[in-house]
Amino acid sequence: MLIVWSLARGYFPAVIEGLATDTAIWLAIAGAIGLFASIIFHEFAHALVARRFDMPISGITLFLFGGVAHLRDEPPSARAEFLVAIAGPISSYILAAGFYLLLAVTSAGDGITPLAALFSYLTLINAVLATFNLLPAFPLDGGRVLRAAVWGWTGSLRRATQVSAALGRGLGVALMALGVINIVSGDFVGGLWIGLIGFFILTAAGSTAMQVELKQTLKDIRVRDIMNSQVIAVPADITVAELVDDYFYRHFHKAFPVVRGEQVLGSVRLKDVGQVPRENWGTTSVAEILSSGNGSHVVEPGALVWDALTLMKENNVSRLMVVERGDLKGMLTMRDLMHFLAVHRELSGGPGASEPELRQVAEDRA
């Protein structure tokens, strides 16, 4: 809506003198659709090149003025990073050239027509999108090109990310300051856009750098290195009443693994207890109320923490049972991950992380 409003009230009336309000609105809607179609085209160019390097895209997030293609894994080399990054601006310049040809065809000799004004806008916005994205500041494409260059020079992806993210944060702060200056000077719409862009770059540069740090820290860590082996397990044959009195009220966990002998049957949650009428607690066994589908909440001790984090995200859970050949070996929780990262940060100056940040890393991976 903000894009449509700014085009209908600002851009098109300034380009076409005496433009009717209805026509301005329709042109603004078409311009907004063209803008987002151009952004999608830009991001798909990244995705197509990424696929050539076996780098699947987990999704594309669109913003008011651009988009981000989420890679499941980091690029395998600096060359791959460069080619994936540069594909977007090149595609936008190609679109700008195409719209310019349409502009030339639809332009009138003595004035600009509404259709020509639309193509003029799309020519301009694609050229601006490509040029702006080439600024050497992460997470813009130019920042990724810079990261590829530093990566190739230093051989360190982490160092390259730190350099490009620092420039991204600096650019974000500068744009936000410029936006405030423009607003104070009377250019509210222009200042608002510049400020929003600066805010996005500032936050995205910081969060992306954090995600790369987390990925680098966790990528070689195994579940057995972090899991809690001191697990409180619930016998499958006790009653729900015993479960509540002896486990939930005594240990204050929200879920417990359930075993019969040494074999893991699944897990039981407070939510599962809540589905049993209280008068049946004394006659219903724990085995009868096990969560359906909780067999997917299992990971092996030798699995990568990186993959375990992805499994947590996919199943929307914060804990996994660590099982080897049917035997319960421990539990891995989101709290364990955050504790590990906190200790790692104290010892090596690496990243700390909140649960949302960890889940974002998993979302990019999934």
Side-chain angles (χ1 to χ4, degrees):
M1 290 301 295
L2 181 59
I3 294 173
V4 173
W5 176 78
S6 62
L7 291 176
R9 293 293 300 273
Y11 180 80
F12 287 117
V15 171
I16 306 175
E17 186 176 352
L19 181 65
T21 301
D22 290 347
T23 304
I25 292 174
W26 283 111
L27 284 175
I29 293 173
I33 293 173
L35 169 60
F36 283 108
S38 298
I39 293 170
I40 292 173
F41 185 84
H42 178 111
E43 298 304 327
F44 267 113
H46 289 306
L48 288 174
V49 177
R51 289 184 63 181
R52 293 182 63 87
F53 291 96
D54 295 323
M55 298 159 53
I57 300 293
S58 60
I60 295 175
T61 302
L62 297 182
F63 298 95
L64 290 174
F65 52 86
V68 173
H70 299 286
L71 301 176
R72 290 187 182 179
D73 293 300
E74 291 299 330
S77 66
R79 176 176 177 271
E81 170 82 321
F82 171 78
L83 292 176
V84 172
I86 203 65
I90 290 175
S91 68
S92 292
Y93 279 129
I94 291 173
L95 275 182
F99 283 122
Y100 181 78
L101 291 176
L102 292 174
L103 169 62
V105 172
T106 56
S107 294
D110 55 350
I112 186 168
T113 64
L115 190 57
L118 174 62
F119 290 139
S120 174
Y121 166 73
L122 293 175
T123 299
L124 174 64
I125 200 64
N126 275 283
V128 170
L129 179 65
T131 304
F132 178 77
N133 268 281
L134 284 174
L135 291 176
F138 209 72
L140 300 178
D141 296 334
R144 293 186 179 275
V145 169
L146 173 65
R147 184 169 77 156
V150 177
W151 185 4
W153 178 42
T154 65
S156 170
L157 174 59
R158 177 172 292 177
R159 178 58 179 164
T161 301
Q162 291 172 344
V163 171
S164 55
L167 288 175
R169 287 190 288 266
L171 176 63
V173 171
L175 288 175
M176 290 175 66
L178 181 59
V180 171
I181 293 173
N182 281 16
I183 291 174
V184 172
S185 301
D187 183 9
F188 177 80
V189 174
L192 179 62
W193 276 113
I194 294 173
L196 286 173
I197 293 172
F199 177 75
F200 164 74
I201 292 176
L202 176 64
T203 55
S207 64
T208 305
M210 169 67 78
Q211 289 172 30
V212 171
E213 289 283 341
L214 288 174
K215 290 175 182 179
Q216 292 293 306
T217 301
L218 295 176
K219 69 176 183 178
D220 295 323
I221 305 299
R222 302 286 174 175
V223 169
R224 66 169 65 93
D225 301 325
I226 298 180
M227 72 178 190
N228 181 2
S229 59
Q230 303 299 316
V231 183
I232 301 171
V234 174
D237 298 325
I238 68 171
T239 65
V240 172
E242 292 174 308
L243 169 68
V244 172
D245 291 338
D246 297 339
Y247 291 90
F248 282 115
Y249 277 138
R250 182 169 297 180
H251 301 289
F252 305 108
H253 296 326
K254 292 184 178 181
F256 293 93
V258 178
V259 297
R260 179 171 281 134
E262 297 295 328
Q263 295 295 302
V264 177
L265 301 184
S267 64
V268 63
R269 305 166 299 174
L270 272 174
K271 183 186 297 185
D272 302 320
V273 174
Q275 295 174 354
V276 180
R278 185 177 291 269
E279 59 270 19
N280 295 336
W281 283 10
T283 58
T284 304
S285 71
V286 171
E288 296 177 69
I289 66 169
L290 289 182
S291 308
S292 60
N294 60 24
S296 60
H297 305 167
V298 172
V299 66
E300 293 185 352
L304 291 170
V305 169
W306 181 254
D307 295 328
L309 181 59
T310 302
L311 187 61
M312 286 184 183
K313 172 63 181 179
E314 291 174 346
N315 291 280
N316 194 28
V317 296
S318 60
R319 60 181 59 225
L320 296 172
M321 295 177 290
V322 183
V323 177
E324 187 173 33
R325 292 189 291 275
D327 295 342
L328 182 66
K329 298 298 183 181
M331 294 288 292
L332 178 70
T333 69
M334 189 67 72
R335 181 179 299 177
D336 296 329
L337 287 172
M338 290 188 287
H339 178 71
F340 169 80
L341 290 169
V343 173
H344 181 271
R345 183 177 188 176
E346 290 294 327
L347 295 177
S348 64
S354 64
E355 182 171 336
E357 288 169 332
L358 283 171
R359 289 190 177 276
Q360 181 61 51
V361 173
E363 184 173 353
D364 289 344
R365 168 75 172 172

